[in-house]
Amino acid sequence: MVLGLCLGFDWNLVFKWDYMTAKERQSRVGHEIQPIRTPMIAGGLFSIEKKWFEEVGKYDMMMDVWGGENLEISFRVWQCHGSLEIIPCSRVGHVFRKQHPYTFPGGSGTVFARNTRRVAEVWMDDYKQFYFRAVPSAKGVYYGNIRERVELRKRLKCKSFKWYLHSVYPELKVPDKSDLAFGAIKQGLLCMDILGHTIEGTVGMFSCHDAGGNQNQEWSMTKYHRIKHQEYCMGFDSPQAGQPIKLKLCNPTDNLQKWKQINDAGLLQSWDHNLCIDSKDSKKTGLTVENCSANSESQIWEFTLDLP
């Protein structure tokens, strides 16, 4: 693996690489080969004491084929009084076949949805609501009997998922329940990005990181219809096409910082004006507001997590 990375996930429960925080990287200067605490591991590439592996519940044998077992074993180990570490100097060989010598019942997507639904139901407590909001189709997936795994969790006196988020993975931001949408704002393979700018700086586009520890692409649509990045709100200076989108100090009386989602079209429209956020000139000037057009691909946006 690349030094400075560990393993994580997003609310859709899909694996991703996470960057260490600057503080963590600094603390490792001169100690680069020391173990790295990680919220998650790969589901089949680890070493563990055999006796404890059996005591802590092996694998969830009601899962199908593979997919999601990395989440299940990671949550279980941390919540049930263990820990996970990456050993930078370890080497693991993994030979990939050209094709699977087995099949996925109903398709690989169905198997992954079933397995991750089991993880959510057993280990995530009330936080599973954010998984269902990120993957609404999972609500209709049959996930089998989980009684044995729930009893295992009780018997081992495992900790809550709230504890896991607070103590193990604080980098995974929990959406505010009052927010209308949350996460990256995507347009194909690109995401809105502050590009390191601060107050009065422009907003641009960059390849989607899909990784925690780098918060330049994290936004929320608040119940007050502000598009926020940390303490800044997205706005513009005057109601005319071509104005650049900027990071502003949030001002509840400034309607040029107020937006509405036109969900059927994917537009992000100014509250009082027929102006929408547009990426057509993002390489030159950053994002701008332009006359709204549902036929313009440069005005179609998607939050990674829409909240009801």
Side-chain angles (χ1 to χ4, degrees):
M1 66 165 289
V2 178
L3 292 180
L5 294 175
C6 56
L7 287 78
F9 60 94
D10 217 327
W11 288 109
N12 56 8
L13 298 188
V14 173
F15 154 87
K16 66 179 182 179
W17 290 103
D18 274 357
Y19 295 98
M20 287 184 183
T21 64
K23 182 179 180 180
E24 288 172 328
R25 291 196 299 271
Q26 182 62 35
S27 71
R28 295 179 60 80
V29 173
H31 308 280
E32 287 83 2
I33 64 173
Q34 292 300 307
I36 302 168
R37 268 175 45 115
T38 180
M40 188 197 293
I41 58 170
L45 305 174
F46 59 86
S47 63
I48 186 173
E49 184 182 76
K50 181 175 183 291
K51 181 180 178 182
W52 195 68
F53 180 64
E54 294 170 346
E55 289 177 358
V56 82
K58 302 180 181 178
Y59 284 108
D60 179 354
M61 299 306 293
M62 292 294 290
M63 285 187 170
D64 286 333
V65 197
W66 57 262
E69 77 287 343
N70 52 340
L71 293 153
E72 198 275 341
I73 198 168
S74 298
F75 293 168
R76 177 159 43 90
V77 166
W78 276 114
Q79 290 175 243
C80 302
H81 318 294
S83 62
L84 302 173
E85 293 180 337
I86 293 171
I87 309 301
C89 287
S90 65
R91 296 293 183 266
V92 178
H94 190 183
V95 179
F96 286 92
R97 299 182 177 98
K98 291 184 178 179
Q99 62 184 34
H100 300 307
Y102 45 81
T103 59
F104 290 80
S108 59
T110 299
V111 168
F112 181 74
R114 169 190 164 88
N115 291 350
T116 51
R117 174 81 189 268
R118 289 182 65 82
V119 174
E121 295 291 347
V122 175
W123 297 103
M124 293 180 68
D125 304 326
D126 289 343
Y127 291 90
K128 67 185 178 183
Q129 65 177 298
F130 300 121
Y131 164 60
F132 290 131
R133 291 175 184 177
V135 190
S137 60
K139 293 180 180 179
V141 171
Y142 175 73
Y143 57 94
N145 191 323
I146 59 173
R147 183 175 64 182
E148 181 181 322
R149 305 308 281 181
V150 171
E151 290 177 351
L152 171 72
R153 180 177 175 179
K154 291 180 180 177
R155 184 170 71 252
L156 295 175
K157 296 181 172 57
C158 302
K159 298 176 181 178
S160 68
F161 198 71
K162 181 179 181 180
W163 172 88
Y164 171 87
L165 291 175
H166 177 77
S167 302
V168 179
Y169 200 18
E171 294 81 13
L172 181 63
K173 185 175 178 182
V174 178
D176 189 316
K177 293 182 180 179
S178 67
D179 286 344
L180 304 177
F182 175 85
I185 306 177
K186 307 183 77 170
Q187 194 174 85
L189 298 177
L190 300 178
C191 287
M192 289 191 190
D193 196 302
I194 69 166
L195 303 175
H197 298 162
T198 57
I199 185 168
E200 293 299 319
T202 56
V203 178
M205 301 289 287
F206 200 81
S207 297
C208 295
H209 294 301
D210 293 322
N214 188 327
Q215 307 302 323
N216 287 349
Q217 296 178 355
E218 192 169 90
W219 306 88
S220 61
M221 171 74 88
T222 74
K223 64 181 179 180
Y224 302 110
H225 299 276
R226 313 285 170 177
I227 301 178
K228 290 191 67 176
H229 173 81
Q230 297 178 2
E231 71 269 33
Y232 302 120
C233 284
M234 198 181 289
F236 54 106
D237 291 330
S238 61
Q240 53 188 334
Q243 283 286 301
I245 296 292
K246 294 182 179 180
L247 297 169
K248 302 277 191 179
L249 286 180
C250 296
N251 180 350
T253 66
D254 184 358
N255 275 10
L256 297 184
Q257 296 181 13
K258 196 172 181 181
W259 305 89
K260 50 189 171 185
Q261 289 179 282
I262 313 298
N263 285 328
D264 291 342
L267 302 176
L268 290 172
Q269 182 179 340
S270 175
W271 192 257
D272 291 333
H273 306 281
N274 186 40
L275 294 171
C276 289
I277 300 176
D278 197 305
S279 67
K280 67 184 181 69
D281 293 323
S282 61
K283 292 183 179 179
K284 297 178 181 178
T285 60
L287 299 182
T288 57
V289 288
E290 306 292 345
N291 294 319
C292 294
S293 171
N295 296 319
S296 175
E297 293 185 359
S298 60
Q299 293 185 11
I300 307 303
W301 305 96
E302 178 185 8
F303 275 89
T304 54
L305 184 58
D306 280 311
L307 306 175

